[in-house]
Amino acid sequence: MQLINTITEMQALAQNTFPGKSIGFVPTMGFLHQGHLSLVERSVSECDLTVVSIFVNPAQFGANEDLDSYPRDMDRDLKLLEPLGVDYVFFPSNGMMYPSGYKTWVEVRELSDVLCGASRPGHFVGVATVVLKLVNLVKPTYMYMGEKDFQQVTVLQTMLRDLNLSTRIVPCPIIRDGNGLALSSRNTYLSPTDYPKALSLSRCITRAQELASSGERLSENILRELNILLQNSGAKPDYISIVDSRSLSPQSVVDCNSRLILAAFVGKTRLIDNGRVLLDN
Ligand code: PAF
């Protein structure tokens, strides 16, 4: 496993070593968990070479968000990646990614303004910008991304399509702990009393699926029950919506493209989750 910490080294690899090979890329902000590792394992099994990036991207955090306290542990991350067969770990500094005088930002309109984008203005501009820069440096064939960040995957697929980039996103299933909590680096913030409240997010998804499978098709009826479920658990809903998974537009009637997507605060920690509403028979 080779460590790359300069942009020129990364560019030289992409130019000299990568052509003719399938390159799998897993962009991360570090503090890796089994969700990230499942993306890495898939990339290693499907591609000739795998690159993992570790960069806590300041541009995607709002002024009052957790940039300073975001968990970081590079030694631990490298120990987790080494046995998986990763070829390169790219960890640029802030100054390399955003040198002084930096002025260029990428905006994927409409998709970036709803759901998490409405609660976190500017977040998806930061995500799209850093991912475009990383894709431009690594030039991957495939980018492996978790569906926990469902809106992020949709925003980035649209960006790659609109900018005629050949990299394809491989969306990968959400990894959950034994009680259903979607794995996230931010779960480390949860206290023992927060944890049961955090489980209410995945309970919303299973309850929506139960309601839909028993014949309920009206989103407002499903959402009314889920808001009560969240509030009774002690979690504070940020948003909860049933959307068309392709456009992220709200749906009033559930169909086979419906996705339940939600964010809630558990104490000070903001958690997100999502899942299909109608499951295949
Ligand atoms: O999902 C993440 O960890 C980040 O948003 C990403 C894609 C690495 C960009 O900073």
Side-chain angles (χ1 to χ4, degrees), residues 27-29 36 53 55 57 60 70 123 127 130-131 134 145 149 152 156:
T28 81
M29 298 206 300
H36 298 111
S53 66
F55 178 63
N57 173 32
Q60 68 189 74
Y70 195 83
H123 170 68
V127 171
V130 80
V131 171
L134 291 167
M145 308 203 83
D149 297 294
Q152 169 169 279
L156 294 175

Side-chain angles (χ1 to χ4, degrees), residues 105-148:
W105 302 98
V106 181
E107 183 190 1
V108 181
R109 293 199 174 155
E110 293 167 26
L111 292 173
S112 298
D113 300 333
V114 296
L115 306 168
C116 281
S119 310
R120 305 181 67 190
H123 170 68
F124 287 111
V125 170
V127 171
T129 301
V130 80
V131 171
L132 180 60
K133 285 171 68 73
L134 291 167
V135 164
N136 197 30
L137 292 168
V138 177
K139 305 209 186 309
T141 323
Y142 299 108
M143 183 158 64
Y144 291 81
M145 308 203 83
E147 282 190 330
K148 184 174 80 67

Side-chain angles (χ1 to χ4, degrees), residues 76-241:
R76 175 180 166 277
D77 288 345
L78 295 178
K79 283 195 187 101
L80 289 168
L81 293 174
E82 177 91 64
L84 301 185
V86 171
D87 299 282
Y88 303 98
V89 180
F90 178 45
F91 56 106
S93 65
N94 285 347
M96 283 174 203
M97 293 300 275
Y98 301 109
S100 81
Y102 187 87
K103 293 196 193 314
T104 305
W105 302 98
V106 181
E107 183 190 1
V108 181
R109 293 199 174 155
E110 293 167 26
L111 292 173
S112 298
D113 300 333
V114 296
L115 306 168
C116 281
S119 310
R120 305 181 67 190
H123 170 68
F124 287 111
V125 170
V127 171
T129 301
V130 80
V131 171
L132 180 60
K133 285 171 68 73
L134 291 167
V135 164
N136 197 30
L137 292 168
V138 177
K139 305 209 186 309
T141 323
Y142 299 108
M143 183 158 64
Y144 291 81
M145 308 203 83
E147 282 190 330
K148 184 174 80 67
D149 297 294
F150 192 82
Q151 184 175 8
Q152 169 169 279
V153 170
T154 308
V155 166
L156 294 175
Q157 279 173 327
T158 305
M159 176 188 80
L160 294 173
R161 183 202 67 194
D162 288 354
L163 297 180
N164 309 108
L165 292 157
S166 59
T167 300
R168 293 287 167 262
I169 293 182
V170 181
C172 299
I174 299 174
I175 305 296
R176 300 180 180 280
D177 74 6
N179 296 314
L181 179 66
L183 298 192
S184 161
S185 304
R186 289 190 170 96
N187 291 352
T188 182
Y189 299 147
L190 297 172
S191 69
T193 53
D194 288 337
Y195 181 79
K197 300 176 189 170
L199 298 180
S200 62
L201 279 83
S202 58
R203 292 230 177 85
C204 282
I205 298 166
T206 45
R207 184 65 190 138
Q209 290 164 345
E210 281 166 13
L211 290 168
S213 78
S214 61
E216 181 61 76
R217 289 290 179 275
L218 290 182
S219 298
E220 66 173 326
N221 292 345
I222 298 175
L223 295 174
R224 188 179 316 112
E225 190 174 315
L226 301 186
N227 268 300
I228 295 168
L229 189 162
L230 273 181
Q231 272 154 8
N232 287 347
S233 75
K236 189 167 153 284
D238 179 13
Y239 66 79
I240 175 159
S241 188

Side-chain angles (χ1 to χ4, degrees), residues 32-77:
L32 305 176
H33 51 66
Q34 195 49 47
H36 298 111
L37 302 185
S38 70
L39 306 177
V40 173
E41 282 163 347
R42 184 143 172 211
S43 173
V44 169
S45 75
E46 294 179 355
C47 299
D48 296 330
L49 293 173
T50 291
V51 182
V52 175
S53 66
I54 298 179
F55 178 63
V56 181
N57 173 32
Q60 68 189 74
F61 289 78
N64 299 317
E65 293 185 354
D66 56 344
L67 173 61
D68 292 339
S69 57
Y70 195 83
R72 293 160 170 90
D73 191 339
M74 190 66 167
D75 289 345
R76 175 180 166 277
D77 288 345

